Amino acid sequence: TLADTLFLTKGVFATDSINLLTVPDNAIVSGGSDLAFISGPLKKIGNDAFSFTLGDTAEHTTPYHPLSITAPSSTSDEFIAQYYAHGSMAADSRDSVHFAGCENWTLEHDAGSSKVKVSLGWNANSCWDADTSRMVVEVNNGSSWSSHGKASINKNEDSGTIISSDSVYIPSSSKYS
């Protein structure tokens, strides 16, 4: 558990369900890039808007794929997020934010009931369609997908973000495993 601030400048933090990096309320993770990210689950506690600085070491180029959330309403809310450089885990019982069918993020609401807007970050190695008019944020509840639209897409040459148009409620689930 962080005491205050984690500065990500170079290197990869490899985490798992046993060695989980936890960011408490009001603590900060600064930085995040293709050279510095969390590979594995990252937990955030509190009511601050937050960017999960995620990536996957399975990607040999441009592995950084952040997921951000708007501020939850309670300091006791807990979210765990992870990025996977492979297709959907739709059959999994965890709620998943899904993107383009070839990569996905999981976002679990470990405690609390706040709704948040979700932003997903892609880059050059993503399989997104150049036609961003068809992009939406989808959530899987373990058995089906539901669209949460897009409020906006910010696109650079080979990277960008998509933000859900409505707030997403991620039901509480068991601990990450």
Side-chain angles (χ1 to χ4, degrees), residues 43-56:
K43 183 175 187 172
K44 173 62 176 123
I45 301 171
N47 63 344
D48 306 307
F50 187 73
S51 182
F52 293 85
T53 52
L54 304 172
D56 191 336

Side-chain angles (χ1 to χ4, degrees), residues 69-74 77 79 109 112-118 148 166-170:
I69 59 172
T70 55
S73 59
S74 172
D77 274 294
F79 289 89
H109 208 161
S113 59
S114 296
K115 289 184 175 183
V116 294
K117 287 190 178 185
V118 176
H148 290 272
D166 56 342
S167 295
V168 178
Y169 172 67
I170 307 293

